[in-house]
Amino acid sequence: MLHKRHIQAIKQMVGEENCYDDKAHLVAYCYDATRERYEPDAVVFPRNEQDVSAVLAYCNDQKIPVIPRGAGSGFTGGALPVKGGIILALEKHFNRILEIDEKNLIARVQPGVVNKAFQEAVEAKGLFYPPDPASQEYSTLGGNVSENAGGMRAAKYGITKDYVMALRAVLPNGDVIRAGKKTIKDVAGFNVAGILIASEGSLAVITEITLKLIAKPKLTRSAMGVFADIESAMNAVYKSMASGITPVAMEFLDNLSICAVEERFHKGLPTQAGAILITQVDGDLLEQLDFQLEVLQECFKANGCVEFKIAQSDDEAADLWFARRNVSQSITIYGKKKLNEDITVPRSALPELLKRIGILSKEYGFKIPCFGHTGDGNVHVNVMVSDPNDAQSMQRGYACIEEIFKIAIELEGTLSGEHGIGLSKAPFMRLAFSEAEMNLFANIKKAFDPNNILNPGKMGLSMG
Amino acid sequence: MLHKRHIQAIKQMVGEENCYDDKAHLVAYCYDATRERYEPDAVVFPRNEQDVSAVLAYCNDQKIPVIPRGAGSGFTGGALPVKGGIILALEKHFNRILEIDEKNLIARVQPGVVNKAFQEAVEAKGLFYPPDPASQEYSTLGGNVSENAGGMRAAKYGITKDYVMALRAVLPNGDVIRAGKKTIKDVAGFNVAGILIASEGSLAVITEITLKLIAKPKLTRSAMGVFADIESAMNAVYKSMASGITPVAMEFLDNLSICAVEERFHKGLPTQAGAILITQVDGDLLEQLDFQLEVLQECFKANGCVEFKIAQSDDEAADLWFARRNVSQSITIYGKKKLNEDITVPRSALPELLKRIGILSKEYGFKIPCFGHTGDGNVHVNVMVSDPNDAQSMQRGYACIEEIFKIAIELEGTLSGEHGIGLSKAPFMRLAFSEAEMNLFANIKKAFDPNNILNPGKMGLSMG
């Protein structure tokens, strides 16, 4: 527990009304989307960069853990204060879009801006910010940068790191740094912005983000392909992505996922199908969209697609996407506890990945519905455990997850495509990284945060 | 000078035929494109990653500088052994394309592969690797990664860092690490690949590069816009880049550059023009190309373009690009010594940048031809000094360059868009970075290279 004098000192820096250690606040900031709970010792709402700097310098001096937090919507415990300390909550005073520079297709934002609000603001100006994590309605851009968030449009448009041009951040010692530039090209000094992205709040506290925007494509069209079996669908994914056109998104639902959505929402989905692929193309000209849809249709059909349905209106397109958007909540029909992971493999390994998950499902006796962003090889794998209170069952669930991680690594994939490592995946870091690599991570951490005050206990870092 | 026993030790590791300390080798590896000369103590050609590891571990132990080298074509002295030591030359045994994975649009290469050879190999398979530095005929992909090379196509397709998916590298202590994955999404561990890019060989020796490829657009068309004055041309650049379409390239030549090319090559260029813009669009459909050219023409004309010429054949397109490709050698008519820098600013600052360079030219009495990649704000500024043997004149030249750097920074630009810092720009780092930022760079360097053996004396790092 934090001594009262620390609370007093921090209140003096940020004002009484921006520092709390009452039970209500500690409970309100003890969770994230993992549903694990760790109470902090205090919750601080810095008003500006100077506050962030003052609080960090103090905590660095006093060796008090500081955990930066956006919306707390992460899936891996990145915002949980596992070692106590201070939650530095940025959603309150760091939620402004500072500039949308239409001349240079750039925006400057504070880290607490919600992704969707930002997307809407730039689209009102005819511009486009593609990264669209499923959490877009509530997750913040600071959190998106810290976890390098992806989304459905990554197949064509890439992920958060592809849009971060520059950052302002505060180091644990209170130093304010700028990293990167408002220019596409910049080769002066180490790529500090590059390493702050995906660093899960463990190297510095981001206080401002400069993002690249692009022109919003004028037209989009969506289509669905129905496949008899999942292997055909996975073949269609990688073959169509290599066919010379690049759809915005190429999402899939396996049979269990289709059936779950259908059971809950009665949308007339093909419950006999082994898998469906839902895809979108975009561009400025109708001819372009037609061309892309033709190539996709041909490629799908050459790979066992039994029905290819192009949405003929916005409503029809919305219907196609409804299934995809509601699958995560629907699959809870298969078990009270969902162990969901976001492994990613090279696209051509998708058929093998799904085949081996099917075998594991039989071996372990769990239903494992899979869906997700196959266009970039990112599969949401969900091991459904019927009774989370049955310790043995849960243990088997985690063992099954570990097998899945091993398969992903074996297929040259990664533990996490979007969610990060945080707390949840920390035990598996040694599956993916060598001793030398783990040592390098620890050395990088020390270069930024020698006292290990920023978000300690995450990412499997051993700080010796 | 390196003791003979070190040479003997290294010969035992890599074989007699891969380690030299004779004068011929030391001279052959003492230069780069800066024309400055620093002889190394030995030149080593590692045969494989194990050799790199053994040599580094030994040199780390003995505190011997190691300078990784590709083609030695850098413009800022990145490959110069300013503190002596060993040139680790990768062009001999690290020049293989290991894999072109058409299923996943990925290639694996060794760092000594020449950029253009790689482009041709992937294009033979209908694929496309966009980064095209002017040095593409001889510069290596390892060098491109280490300097984060750009090129003409960056306006649409980005730069080297946008294509690096994963790296293998050897740390100074000999540890082999992998960084990044063959997947678009990967959020496991720190983004080590991100910080190795543009690190100018000062953090690790890259031994393998995994690159993203894209499908090669089927069609391209080129056009030229002629402008009465440079300000109009610069306005046309940023307004057309913000108009909703994205040309592959948007290059410019100012009046001095146009006149220089015309004087040498008599191509009928508009020598009365204040500037010309040369641009290219691409796509898979003719309609797309027509649409983009229409938008560009409209935007150019709205900003004072007096003539817009669309190339009607491949030959006409080649003619348009001839001027751009031959400008660098042509401007030597203005002075024996060319102080060329590659500053970059946000595109909307281009009119102001060029105006202020014009003023400096008058103030200092130097001709300063400018050309380059305006589509991404990257301008090659050339301060032409008539007599490089006149020390006072050279001093004024450098003072002028410093003024230009200050203007670039003031306009939120960068010291270097493509060439890096190396030796040449090291004295100017403090113009661009704060004490805190310079300290952070030094700490990052120490995290990778605590004994400062890798390419020491570069980037203005003070290793205290």
Side-chain angles (χ1 to χ4, degrees):
Chain A
M1 231 191 81
L2 213 55
H3 199 284
K4 272 287 173 194
R5 74 187 154 87
H6 295 313
I7 306 285
Q8 281 313 318
I10 292 169
K11 280 187 173 172
Q12 287 209 333
M13 295 171 206
V14 301
E16 291 272 342
E17 70 286 10
N18 289 310
C19 177
Y20 297 89
D21 64 344
D22 59 300
K23 189 72 181 172
H25 273 89
L26 305 189
V27 168
Y29 287 85
C30 79
Y31 68 92
D32 73 354
T34 58
R35 303 191 188 178
E36 294 203 48
R37 286 160 178 269
Y38 293 87
E39 280 186 24
D41 296 309
V43 180
V44 176
F45 303 96
R47 295 162 300 183
N48 49 42
E49 194 172 71
Q50 290 89 322
D51 278 359
V52 173
S53 173
V55 171
L56 279 174
Y58 181 85
C59 290
N60 192 44
D61 195 49
Q62 302 289 329
K63 312 258 195 310
I64 300 167
V66 176
I67 296 86
R69 182 186 166 101
S73 57
F75 272 122
T76 52
L80 297 178
V82 292
K83 310 261 183 199
I86 285 168
I87 289 282
L88 204 64
L90 296 158
E91 91 264 25
K92 202 164 177 177
H93 302 299
F94 279 87
N95 55 10
R96 279 181 306 132
I97 297 172
L98 301 170
E99 181 188 12
I100 296 177
D101 174 355
E102 294 174 79
K103 290 181 179 175
N104 293 298
L105 308 186
I106 288 170
R108 277 191 311 121
V109 302
Q110 292 184 317
V113 172
V114 169
N115 176 299
K116 186 78 179 177
F118 178 62
Q119 286 191 44
E120 286 168 359
V122 304
E123 288 184 27
K125 294 180 186 294
L127 299 173
F128 189 34
Y129 176 70
D132 59 341
S135 59
Q136 60 187 0
E137 304 277 354
Y138 37 89
S139 70
T140 62
L141 291 168
N144 291 175
V145 171
S146 299
E147 303 292 341
N148 197 6
M152 294 203 198
R153 299 192 286 231
K156 177 167 184 171
Y157 290 111
I159 55 181
T160 304
K161 78 165 176 182
D162 299 313
Y163 294 86
V164 175
M165 302 185 77
L167 298 172
R168 285 181 71 99
V170 186
L171 298 178
N173 68 2
D175 280 351
V176 175
I177 58 159
R178 303 149 308 150
K181 285 284 176 191
K182 274 184 164 185
T183 54
I184 293 168
K185 291 174 175 168
D186 175 30
V187 211
F190 293 130
N191 180 12
V192 171
I195 200 137
L196 291 183
I197 298 165
S199 68
E200 307 196 12
S202 71
L203 299 181
V205 176
I206 294 166
T207 51
E208 190 182 303
I209 307 166
T210 300
L211 291 166
K212 185 174 87 171
L213 304 173
I214 59 178
K216 186 158 173 62
K218 293 182 182 61
L219 306 167
T220 61
R221 289 189 80 181
S222 297
M224 178 175 75
V226 180
F227 294 80
D229 61 278
I230 196 159
E231 195 180 344
S232 304
M234 294 302 102
N235 280 321
V237 166
Y238 85 79
K239 288 180 183 171
S240 53
M241 295 301 293
S243 69
I245 59 121
T246 310
V248 177
M250 174 78 73
E251 299 285 315
F252 98 113
L253 277 73
D254 70 358
N255 175 268
L256 284 172
S257 301
I258 298 167
C259 292
V261 178
E262 189 55 24
E263 184 165 325
R264 283 191 68 155
F265 296 103
H266 314 290
K267 287 281 178 180
L269 291 170
T271 52
Q272 301 303 311
I276 56 174
L277 295 178
I278 308 175
T279 185
Q280 189 185 65
V281 297
D282 70 0
D284 290 329
L285 299 176
L286 274 174
E287 291 88 338
Q288 249 178 301
L289 276 65
D290 288 342
F291 172 72
Q292 293 177 76
L293 286 171
E294 265 167 45
V295 173
L296 283 176
Q297 179 159 7
E298 205 171 295
C299 203
F300 278 25
K301 293 213 162 154
N303 286 285
C305 173
V306 293
E307 190 193 346
F308 188 83
K309 184 182 168 185
I310 299 173
Q312 300 301 329
S313 67
D314 287 353
D315 280 352
E316 277 189 38
D319 263 358
L320 290 185
W321 287 102
F322 181 90
R324 172 64 187 87
R325 294 200 193 281
N326 289 282
V327 61
S328 185
Q329 50 155 311
S330 300
I331 56 170
T332 50
I333 63 167
Y334 297 122
K336 288 205 181 99
K337 178 76 183 176
K338 175 169 77 173
L339 304 176
N340 70 325
E341 300 300 341
D342 65 320
I343 51 166
T344 305
V345 295
R347 287 185 295 259
S348 71
L350 285 167
E352 176 73 9
L353 175 71
L354 273 296
K355 194 176 93 186
R356 290 174 67 176
I357 290 172
I359 293 168
L360 278 182
S361 169
K362 288 201 187 90
E363 274 177 21
Y364 278 81
F366 293 116
K367 285 210 162 67
I368 310 182
C370 294
F371 60 90
H373 317 303
T374 34
D376 49 57
N378 185 196
V379 176
H380 293 289
V381 177
N382 304 272
V383 175
M384 305 305 299
V385 182
S386 311
D387 180 6
N389 296 317
D390 174 357
Q392 211 184 346
S393 194
M394 284 299 288
Q395 209 177 350
R396 279 177 58 76
Y398 286 116
C400 182
I401 286 289
E402 182 160 350
E403 293 293 325
I404 291 167
F405 283 142
K406 284 181 184 164
I407 294 168
I409 300 295
E410 193 189 321
L411 297 174
E412 300 191 77
T414 175
L415 296 177
S416 175
E418 310 185 309
H419 298 168
I421 298 302
L423 196 61
S424 324
K425 299 196 185 190
F428 306 108
M429 283 290 275
R430 304 256 165 197
L431 293 179
F433 296 101
S434 69
E435 188 72 21
E437 290 154 1
M438 293 302 291
N439 286 342
L440 179 61
F441 291 157
N443 288 340
I444 292 171
K445 167 74 169 165
K446 282 176 203 154
F448 284 80
D449 183 17
N451 293 338
N452 193 22
I453 64 156
L454 266 179
N455 207 3
K458 304 290 173 65
M459 295 175 79
L461 297 174
S462 42
M463 298 303 297
Chain B
M1 229 191 82
L2 212 56
H3 198 286
K4 274 287 176 196
R5 75 186 153 87
H6 295 313
I7 306 285
Q8 281 313 319
I10 292 168
K11 280 187 173 172
Q12 288 211 333
M13 294 171 206
V14 302
E16 290 274 342
E17 68 288 8
N18 289 309
C19 177
Y20 296 90
D21 63 346
D22 59 301
K23 189 72 181 173
H25 273 88
L26 304 189
V27 168
Y29 287 86
C30 78
Y31 68 91
D32 73 354
T34 58
R35 302 191 189 180
E36 295 203 47
R37 287 162 177 269
Y38 292 87
E39 280 186 24
D41 296 308
V43 179
V44 176
F45 303 97
R47 295 162 301 183
N48 48 44
E49 194 171 72
Q50 290 89 320
D51 278 358
V52 174
S53 174
V55 171
L56 280 173
Y58 181 84
C59 290
N60 192 44
D61 195 49
Q62 303 289 330
K63 312 256 193 315
I64 300 167
V66 176
I67 297 86
R69 181 185 165 105
S73 57
F75 273 121
T76 52
L80 297 178
V82 293
K83 311 262 182 199
I86 284 168
I87 289 282
L88 204 63
L90 296 158
E91 91 263 26
K92 202 163 176 178
H93 302 299
F94 280 86
N95 55 10
R96 280 180 306 133
I97 297 172
L98 301 170
E99 181 187 11
I100 296 178
D101 173 355
E102 295 174 78
K103 290 182 178 173
N104 293 298
L105 308 186
I106 287 170
R108 278 190 311 122
V109 301
Q110 291 184 319
V113 172
V114 169
N115 176 299
K116 186 77 179 178
F118 178 62
Q119 285 191 45
E120 287 169 358
V122 303
E123 288 184 27
K125 293 179 185 294
L127 299 174
F128 190 33
Y129 176 71
D132 60 341
S135 59
Q136 61 188 358
E137 304 277 355
Y138 36 89
S139 70
T140 62
L141 292 167
N144 292 176
V145 172
S146 298
E147 303 292 340
N148 197 6
M152 296 205 197
R153 299 193 285 231
K156 177 166 184 172
Y157 290 110
I159 54 180
T160 305
K161 79 166 174 180
D162 299 313
Y163 294 86
V164 175
M165 302 185 77
L167 298 171
R168 286 181 71 100
V170 186
L171 297 178
N173 68 2
D175 279 352
V176 174
I177 58 159
R178 304 148 308 151
K181 283 285 177 191
K182 274 185 162 183
T183 54
I184 293 169
K185 292 174 176 167
D186 174 31
V187 211
F190 293 130
N191 179 12
V192 171
I195 201 139
L196 291 183
I197 298 164
S199 68
E200 307 196 11
S202 71
L203 299 181
V205 176
I206 295 167
T207 50
E208 190 181 303
I209 307 166
T210 300
L211 292 165
K212 185 174 86 170
L213 304 173
I214 59 176
K216 184 155 176 65
K218 292 182 182 62
L219 305 167
T220 62
R221 288 189 79 180
S222 297
M224 177 174 77
V226 180
F227 293 80
D229 62 278
I230 195 158
E231 195 180 344
S232 305
M234 294 303 101
N235 280 321
V237 166
Y238 86 78
K239 288 179 184 173
S240 54
M241 295 300 294
S243 69
I245 59 121
T246 308
V248 177
M250 173 79 73
E251 299 285 315
F252 99 112
L253 278 72
D254 69 359
N255 175 267
L256 286 172
S257 302
I258 297 167
C259 293
V261 178
E262 188 56 24
E263 184 165 325
R264 284 190 69 154
F265 296 102
H266 313 291
K267 285 282 179 181
L269 291 171
T271 53
Q272 301 302 311
I276 55 174
L277 296 178
I278 308 175
T279 185
Q280 188 184 67
V281 297
D282 70 0
D284 290 329
L285 299 176
L286 274 174
E287 293 87 340
Q288 251 177 300
L289 275 65
D290 288 342
F291 172 72
Q292 294 178 75
L293 287 171
E294 265 168 44
V295 173
L296 282 176
Q297 177 158 10
E298 205 171 292
C299 204
F300 277 25
K301 293 215 162 151
N303 286 285
C305 174
V306 293
E307 189 194 347
F308 188 83
K309 184 181 168 186
I310 300 173
Q312 299 301 330
S313 66
D314 286 354
D315 281 351
E316 278 188 39
D319 265 357
L320 291 183
W321 288 102
F322 182 90
R324 173 64 188 86
R325 293 201 193 279
N326 287 282
V327 61
S328 185
Q329 49 156 312
S330 301
I331 56 170
T332 50
I333 64 167
Y334 297 123
K336 287 204 182 99
K337 178 75 183 176
K338 175 169 80 174
L339 304 175
N340 70 325
E341 300 299 342
D342 65 319
I343 52 167
T344 305
V345 296
R347 286 185 296 259
S348 72
L350 284 168
E352 176 73 11
L353 174 71
L354 273 297
K355 195 175 91 186
R356 290 174 69 176
I357 290 173
I359 294 167
L360 278 184
S361 169
K362 289 202 186 87
E363 274 177 21
Y364 279 81
F366 292 116
K367 286 210 161 69
I368 310 183
C370 294
F371 61 90
H373 317 302
T374 34
D376 50 57
N378 185 197
V379 175
H380 292 290
V381 177
N382 303 274
V383 175
M384 305 304 300
V385 182
S386 310
D387 180 6
N389 296 318
D390 175 358
Q392 213 184 345
S393 192
M394 283 300 289
Q395 209 176 350
R396 280 177 57 76
Y398 286 117
C400 182
I401 285 289
E402 182 159 351
E403 293 293 326
I404 291 167
F405 282 140
K406 283 182 183 163
I407 294 169
I409 299 296
E410 193 188 321
L411 297 174
E412 299 191 77
T414 175
L415 297 178
S416 176
E418 310 184 309
H419 299 167
I421 299 301
L423 196 61
S424 324
K425 300 196 185 191
F428 307 108
M429 282 292 274
R430 303 258 165 195
L431 292 179
F433 296 100
S434 70
E435 188 71 21
E437 290 154 1
M438 293 301 292
N439 286 342
L440 179 60
F441 291 157
N443 288 340
I444 292 170
K445 168 75 169 166
K446 282 176 203 154
F448 284 80
D449 182 17
N451 293 337
N452 193 23
I453 63 155
L454 266 179
N455 208 2
K458 304 292 172 65
M459 296 175 81
L461 297 174
S462 43
M463 298 303 298

